Amino acid sequence: MSTGLRIYGVARTRAFRALWAAEELGVPYQHMPIEIGDVGARTPEFLALNPNGRLPVIVDDGFVLFESLAITLYLAKKYSFGKLYPATLEAEARAWQWSFWAIAEVDRGVNIWSLHAVRLPPAERNAALREEALKVVAAPFKVLDAAVAAQPHLLGDDFTVADLNVAAVISRAVDMDLSPWPRLKNWLMRCLDRPAARAALQLKTASDKATPADVTRRIARINRL
Ligand SMILES: N[C@@H](CCC(=O)N[C@@H](CS)C(=O)NCC(=O)O)C(=O)O
């Protein structure tokens, strides 16, 4: 019997990436908005699903998977092979390239910047960390800016899981001054304006708003940001 897809993690976490993918694919899912840390992702029940104690995790008909971009790639391949998920070996590798690039080059920097520019209470923001994070993302943002100058999306004309992954990872960069990277800005806005992205962003914004300052502080501490 099919038990369907469950996505674990409050929408302000990297669970946003899985939520966007599920919305994009039109796959029915159950959202389990569990919190990070001891009250949620570090409980014994959750650790049995993801021994890392981190979010997100999915359970898809009993198949358990962690790592946000492994989840989006899996869902895209399962439900949209040849469309959202590239059909050729080379294009598939290119989608992996951009996904690994996003995690390695910009994920942490954007996260640190957003905490110290937007999410922590103003008096607790660390300007030095924020400036350093901007320096860290500047070079990869230049690379992304050039990539989307040549064509509308990362793999060519069409929006694919490569765009979804990179745009989801840097989604909090919408609050940055992106004027040094105008083509990146244009591409990011187009990606985040898709109906599926808007639906997931609505969940994310609502959970951002519902997050008290002490939880944001705890997140910064737990993630060493
Ligand atoms: N590389 C992982 C990172 C997961 C991660 O760090 N998630 C954060 C929330 S966005 C988390 O659960 N942090 C809490 C903790 O580490 O205890 C992924 O992309 O899924």
Side-chain angles (χ1 to χ4, degrees), residues 7-221:
I7 300 175
Y8 292 78
V10 288
R12 83 174 124 68
T13 67
R14 289 166 172 85
F16 164 70
R17 302 167 186 179
L19 293 167
W20 181 3
E23 291 285 342
E24 197 70 54
L25 294 160
V27 182
Y29 66 89
Q30 201 183 345
H31 183 207
M32 322 292 281
I34 71 162
E35 190 46 90
I36 69 163
D38 294 341
V39 292
R42 304 250 166 199
T43 57
E45 304 89 278
F46 188 84
L47 287 169
L49 286 180
N50 181 6
N52 298 291
R54 290 178 190 257
L55 301 164
V57 176
I58 62 163
V59 181
D60 184 32
D61 280 341
F63 174 61
V64 181
L65 191 65
F66 60 76
E67 275 302 320
S68 56
L69 300 194
I71 292 170
T72 56
L73 289 165
Y74 160 80
L75 291 175
K77 190 166 188 175
K78 177 170 176 179
Y79 294 106
S80 188
F81 185 80
K83 206 163 169 242
L84 196 67
Y85 194 90
T88 68
L89 183 64
E90 291 80 5
E92 178 184 54
R94 194 69 80 202
W96 298 342
Q97 168 197 283
W98 281 115
S99 304
F100 297 148
W101 176 89
I103 293 287
E105 304 291 340
V106 288
D107 195 1
R108 189 170 165 80
V110 171
N111 213 351
I112 291 175
W113 181 86
S114 137
L115 264 170
H116 292 281
V118 180
R119 288 149 67 204
L120 280 167
E124 296 167 40
R125 294 174 192 165
N126 181 325
L129 280 179
R130 185 171 67 231
E131 292 314 308
E132 179 59 25
L134 257 190
K135 283 188 196 144
V136 167
V137 298
F141 273 14
K142 196 170 164 200
V143 171
L144 182 56
D145 189 69
V148 290
Q151 50 191 16
H153 294 99
L154 288 171
L155 304 193
D157 286 338
D158 299 326
F159 177 86
T160 68
V161 68
D163 300 284
L164 188 152
N165 281 351
V166 178
V169 167
I170 68 165
S171 59
R172 290 194 185 273
V174 287
D175 297 319
M176 278 180 193
D177 172 14
L178 290 174
S179 55
W181 311 284
R183 285 87 48 104
L184 179 160
K185 180 176 181 178
N186 178 287
W187 163 86
L188 181 60
M189 294 310 184
R190 276 187 285 117
C191 292
L192 295 180
D193 202 32
R194 297 173 67 82
R198 281 163 168 267
L201 281 169
Q202 215 170 0
L203 296 172
K204 180 173 174 163
T205 307
S207 78
D208 268 338
K209 283 199 180 120
T211 303
D214 60 308
V215 173
T216 307
R217 262 178 222 122
R218 190 159 49 82
I219 293 167
R221 207 171 48 243

